[in-house]
Every structure is written in structure tokens, then in C-alpha cells.
Amino acid sequence: MKVMVTGSSGFIGSHVVEAFEAAGHEVVRLDLKDGPDVRDEAVLDRALPGVDLVVHQAAKVGLGVDVSDLPDYAAVNVYGTAVLLAAMARHGIERLVLASSMVVYGEGAYDCPEHGRVRPGPRSAEDLRRGLFEPTCPECRATVGHAVIGEDAPLDPRNAYATTKLAQEHLAANWARETAGTAVALRYHNVYGPRMPRDTPYAGVAAIFRSALEAGRAPRVFEDGRQLRDFVHVRDVARANLAAAAATQVPGGLTAYNIASGTPHTVGEMAAALAVEHGGPAPIVTGEYRLGDVRHIVAAPDRARAELGFRAEVTFADGMKEFATAPLGMS
């Protein structure tokens, strides 16, 4: 199969390229670092003929700095995806695997003792300043317990990156419906591993902690460190892309899958594990916060297991041991 991978030089994209090539596929690479860009119609028209599948990894990632980032997020993630999909339609390419993200959910799922499954709204700046990090029931303000979130949960993006990832899903669904193509959205949870970009405002928390340790600084853990996430190794994510490429999908629609380990850990646990494997220094819990962050998000990976045959293989302990000393990518 001939596969075009956008974002092919990036952290996740480079591992996806290796996985497809190792499986015997011909890979066409497209990455901004190499000059071409998904917003360049002429480049796409040269690259797409003969391609059987597009694996769209290219995106501006991370929470960003402030609202000044909005034009770039919209230009790269939304407009870039629209240009790519239009080019795919021109060339009759009918299969797409899209790198989406768990950020489209917003806050995770919670259960209230009185009101059952609830979706708390964004946490207030005042509560965060007071150190009240846990969400409460939107009906009665009672303490709620976190629950796993499935792909059919309501979507509620809460920052620029999340909004543009959801826009990508909507555009892919539009394209699939109008062309009778098949679209798969892989909602990555917290991806980490070798070649992760160094510490920048757009880096993931694992890269921020790892960069601090490499510089001899203690990782600074925001809030109280008890935020739950699902940390999934980048090689498992690459395998999920291969599984999505091999699976049969119904034409004319988009199917979303959580790509996660299925074993959540707190942000504090992750920082501590990295520090131990790296040889210190130990993390510092700061109580700082970012308004765009959510508290807990725990994935239900059952659909990917049942329909794609995908199950994460790298354990948290093994992954953190490797990542503590693995080479980082460029920021």
C-alpha cells in the first residue's frame, strides 16, 4: 500500500513512518520541516497521485501561550486539513486516518452520588486560586468521582488546540460523507516517548518534566499533582495507526477511537517515575495552574480493542524507564 504521512518528521509522525515502512508499505513523506506543507495545493497535487491512504499527523500542538496563537492554530490545523481533504477528493483518495486527541472531550466523565453521570463545566479561576482543583457536580456542587470516558461522550473543547482538533474531525466527517470515503479519528491520550520535543509552551507535560530533569532542574508539577491522565507510548500509537489502516470501515462516515494504555496514572506519579529513573532531582508540587487544563480524563479503550484489534503493549514502568534517558527531539 502507498501511504502519505503528513507531519512525517514530527515526534509521532516519524514513528508512524517507521511502523508503516517496517510493515512493508511505501511511504510518501510530507512535513513542514522539509519544506512542503499541507496548505500548499501544488505540493499536494504532486504528492498524492497513486496514494491509497493518507495518515494526517501534521498539526500545531499543545496548549500554547495565549490568544495570540489562535490564527496559527486555525491556519495549520483547520485550514491545512481543509486543503488536504480537498486535494484528496481531487485525486480520488478514499481513505483517511486522522490524528485527533483526547482534548476534544474537555473535562472527563464524572459520577455524582445524587445525579449520576455528569459533565462539570470549566473550573473557575477563583476556585483554582484557592486550591480547589476537583470538579463538582453542576447540579448540586457535590464532590464527584471520575469515570472512564468513551468515544460517544459529549465533546467540549476548552482551548484553541482542542477546538481545532474537533474542527479537523468535523471536516473529515464532511469529506467522508460527500466522497463516500472512510475516515478514522484516533483520539490520542497523553503520548510520550523518544524524540518527544523539548520543553516549549507547546510541549506535552512529559516533555516538560523530562527537559527539566535533563537540565538538572526539579520537575514542577502543577495543581496538587493528582490529575489523572492516560500515558500511552509513541510506539503503541504508531501501531494504532497501522491497525486503523488495516481495519475495514463503513464508507461515508468517521469513526473515533480512544488510543490509550487503559491504565491511568497521576501527573505526579509520572513526574516521580521519571525523576527516579533519571536519578533526580525529585519533583516539586507547586499549586500553579492553567485555565485551559482539565482535571481528570481517563480513557475507555474498548472500542479500539474490539474493532481495530489494538491493545497498548508498553507498560508505564517500562516506558518511563526508557523515556527518562531517551533522546529528545527538536522543539
Side-chain angles (χ1 to χ4, degrees):
M1 181 166 56
K2 187 174 182 180
V3 181
M4 187 172 85
V5 178
T6 71
S8 57
S9 297
F11 163 47
I12 299 175
S14 64
H15 286 273
V16 170
V17 167
E18 290 175 355
F20 273 91
E21 289 183 337
H25 300 293
E26 177 184 356
V27 177
V28 177
R29 307 180 188 214
L30 190 70
D31 194 282
L32 180 61
K33 294 177 183 176
D34 303 321
D37 184 85
V38 293
R39 293 169 288 181
D40 190 324
E41 292 185 359
V43 167
L44 291 172
D45 285 337
R46 290 195 297 271
L48 285 170
V51 166
D52 301 297
L53 166 73
V54 171
V55 180
H56 186 28
Q57 304 288 324
K60 183 180 179 73
V61 300
L63 192 61
V65 178
D66 53 38
V67 293
S68 65
D69 282 321
L70 287 174
D72 277 348
Y73 276 107
V76 175
N77 297 356
V78 182
Y79 180 67
T81 298
V83 172
L84 173 64
L85 293 170
M88 290 172 62
R90 284 197 304 276
H91 291 276
I93 298 167
E94 299 177 344
R95 300 181 62 204
L96 172 71
V97 175
L98 170 69
S100 188
S101 171
M102 56 87 173
V103 295
V104 300
Y105 297 118
E107 194 63 70
Y110 295 86
D111 289 327
C112 170
E114 181 176 352
H115 296 99
R117 182 60 50 87
V118 294
R119 295 298 302 279
R123 297 175 295 169
S124 72
E126 176 59 26
D127 281 349
L128 292 169
R129 279 195 296 269
R130 294 167 59 199
L132 302 176
F133 301 125
E134 293 292 342
T136 57
C137 175
E139 300 294 331
C140 66
R141 301 293 293 174
T143 300
V144 292
H146 67 267
V148 295
I149 195 162
E151 291 87 351
D152 296 327
L155 305 180
D156 183 20
R158 297 187 179 180
N159 56 57
Y161 173 60
T163 299
T164 58
K165 295 309 287 185
L166 181 54
Q168 286 184 320
E169 288 197 17
H170 287 320
L171 288 169
N174 297 155
W175 164 84
R177 189 162 49 247
E178 295 186 26
T179 64
T182 63
V184 174
L186 301 180
R187 291 176 179 163
Y188 302 158
H189 284 251
N190 287 66
V191 187
Y192 72 96
R195 294 177 229 152
M196 197 172 192
R198 295 178 184 276
D199 184 6
T200 77
Y202 309 95
V205 66
I208 293 172
F209 292 164
R210 172 69 172 76
S211 297
L213 289 165
E214 189 170 89
R217 303 190 308 269
R220 295 176 62 82
V221 180
F222 280 16
E223 300 186 18
D224 58 4
R226 297 175 184 169
Q227 313 93 299
L228 276 169
R229 298 291 188 272
D230 189 304
F231 298 100
V232 58
H233 196 278
V234 67
R235 288 195 298 274
D236 281 330
V237 169
R239 290 179 46 252
N241 279 267
L242 268 178
T248 300
Q249 301 290 332
V250 177
L254 177 142
T255 306
Y257 298 94
N258 284 327
I259 302 302
S261 72
T263 307
H265 291 270
T266 69
V267 172
E269 287 173 338
M270 189 264 285
L274 277 179
V276 167
E277 296 296 346
H278 194 273
I284 299 170
V285 178
T286 69
E288 296 171 272
Y289 61 87
R290 300 188 300 182
L291 280 176
D293 282 338
V294 298
R295 180 60 175 173
H296 304 300
I297 183 158
V298 179
D302 303 349
R303 180 184 291 176
R305 186 160 49 242
E307 297 183 12
L308 302 182
F310 168 76
R311 187 191 299 267
E313 295 179 349
V314 180
T315 67
F316 180 79
D318 289 345
M320 290 298 151
K321 183 177 180 66
E322 176 197 35
F323 183 53
T325 57
L328 297 176
M330 298 300 293
S331 58

